[in-house]
Amino acid sequence: MKKSVFALVSSVLVLGTALAGCGGTDKAQPTQGNTQTPAAAPSNSGEAKVLKMNLHSEPPTADPGLAEDSTSHAVVTALFDGLTRTDADGKAQPSAAEKIDVSPDLLTYTFHLRDAKWSNGDPVTAKDFEFAWKRALDPKTASNYAYQLYYIKNGEKANKGQAKLDDVGVKALDDKTLEVKLENPTPFFLELTAFPTYYPVDKAVVEKDPKWAAEAKTIVGNGPFKMDDWQHKSKLVISKNDNYWDKDTVKLDKIEFSMVEDENTELSMFDNGELDWAGAPLSSLPTDAIPALKQSGKMTTQPIAGTYWYKFNTEKPPFNNVKVRKAFAYAINRQAVIDNILQAGQLPAMGAVPLSMGMPNKDGYFKDNDTATAKQLLDEGLKELGMTKLPPITLSFNTSEGHKKIAEAIQDQWKKALGVDVKLENKEWKVYIEDLHQGNFQIGRMGWLGDFNDPINFLELFKDKKGGNNDTRWENPQFKDLLNKSALEKDPAKRKDILAQAEKIFMDEMPVAPIYFYTNSWVKNDKVKGVVVDGLGHVDFKWATKE
């Protein structure tokens, strides 16, 4: 999913929260009708319903084609609407499309669009969807989430310059009919169409102004809300979009987002009534406050399909050596981090794919806190590199009290277990992501929340060395071949076995060190109802209200 500022989407993208994503169903069947939604409380007064939240940090973008983190995805999900939208159970339901036909071979989807308008009054057409998807696939757009569109016929080839965009299997048959042809049957495709990279954009607006998504006055969406104000790094305000096709479902008049990076300040603002919500999925709670909040009964905690890990830059010494990578991974005491810092029911991650996705190897691929093996591997790795000692090592993370405490704990663990001095480096979120993408790091914190409920979502990140979110620069031909085979396997059990083989290769080579599987924890005003936080950690305000 999206990366999370905390999990780090992409997913949408918390110490407990990706890139920002969508989740839920395994079925690709013809569907029609209305979305199934949580019941919203009726308005009992003439007062405006204003929800006050904290984004923790500046959203890097409000462009669905470029959004790759949970902060951006939360904003984009509020401003835009896909062909489908996930409900409170994480299941994809028709949204911008009112009827969906699927061919018997599951290779052709025909979406029949409902009458809808953009926030500026323009009609939403099938051509807007076709334009948006091809724009995200266009190499010139440089979308790090373009690979989510590889399920479409010729999507990958077009993105890699091996086919024309006109060859991509998406076509507007008329203003209200979109035909999509897939490379292979994709049981989770209707979950993908609920994901931001599959959202439409207003073709006329985008072609007129390349910077359309950077300011409130030029952002045009088709979702439940529209943007009123964006004071960068300070405040973002959205309000109910009266042009939205399902506007009667939307009960909130406005959502006011502050951008406060300090979790203690955020919690104080909540205690003072300046915020209606503190913590996940858009921020995190101060780790020191969690025991008291848990004991008070005020804190909500829910497990989500997400993995917090440290990425290694496998192109630069010493982490171009697999034994050195394993040494650093094995020397982490994950349970101590959970018990002493996180304290919210997280589980040690001994693999890359969350346990909730039902992969065969539930016991993991290595032991937690295996310092003896770690020391041996480090010695062997250094000999293979022709080194007698490690060069200076830097661990990077984005600004967050929680990330800092985790980094300090693991820094101490590495010192005691391996005798390694590690420098800690803290950066603002937008700068941090860019540095990771550019390879300007040695070890970098990141988290991944599932975009949809399938193990492939955690493995395909690392399929290609130059893939949009594969900052490790690791690539393995056998791993890639297994992922390709999984796309062709129709038997669910056999497919999962293939993906398990791929995960084993991944963990044998350790381009990332998994640390823990996420939970989301937050406190909220009891008057706030209907905010959907699904099992993948994605948040949707469409059905929210404030009594």
Side-chain angles (χ1 to χ4, degrees), residues 250-317:
V250 182
K251 302 304 179 186
L252 286 176
D253 295 297
K254 188 177 292 187
I255 305 177
E256 296 179 353
F257 294 103
S258 55
M259 298 180 197
V260 176
E261 287 190 331
D262 183 78
E263 290 92 343
N264 287 290
T265 302
E266 177 181 333
L267 185 58
S268 295
M269 291 172 69
F270 172 79
D271 290 337
N272 294 334
E274 299 170 66
L275 290 175
D276 295 308
W277 191 295
L282 299 180
S283 186
S284 64
L285 294 170
T287 55
D288 291 342
I290 285 178
L293 290 172
K294 188 191 302 184
Q295 188 173 10
S296 72
K298 296 178 181 178
M299 186 176 80
T300 297
T301 296
Q302 86 177 25
I304 59 172
T307 310
Y308 189 106
W309 51 39
Y310 280 171
K311 291 184 174 183
F312 296 111
N313 187 335
T314 67
E315 284 192 325
K316 298 178 181 179

Side-chain angles (χ1 to χ4, degrees), residues 410-480:
I410 293 176
Q411 176 192 43
D412 184 59
Q413 291 173 6
W414 283 337
K415 176 66 174 177
K416 290 176 179 176
L418 303 174
V420 177
D421 290 312
V422 177
K423 176 187 175 184
L424 302 184
E425 183 178 60
N426 170 57
K427 298 178 184 178
E428 183 269 329
W429 177 233
K430 191 172 182 179
V431 174
Y432 179 72
I433 290 181
E434 186 60 28
D435 278 352
L436 254 64
H437 290 341
Q438 296 299 322
N440 299 327
F441 75 103
Q442 284 182 300
I443 308 172
R445 179 223 79 87
M446 194 53 72
W448 191 260
L449 304 183
D451 296 324
F452 48 93
N453 193 28
D454 192 276
I456 188 70
N457 185 229
F458 285 79
L459 300 174
E460 67 181 352
L461 294 170
F462 306 96
K463 183 178 179 180
D464 294 309
K465 182 176 184 177
K466 295 184 179 179
N469 287 303
N470 185 8
D471 305 310
T472 69
R473 305 295 202 273
W474 174 84
E475 188 175 86
N476 179 291
Q478 188 180 358
F479 176 83
K480 184 184 295 191

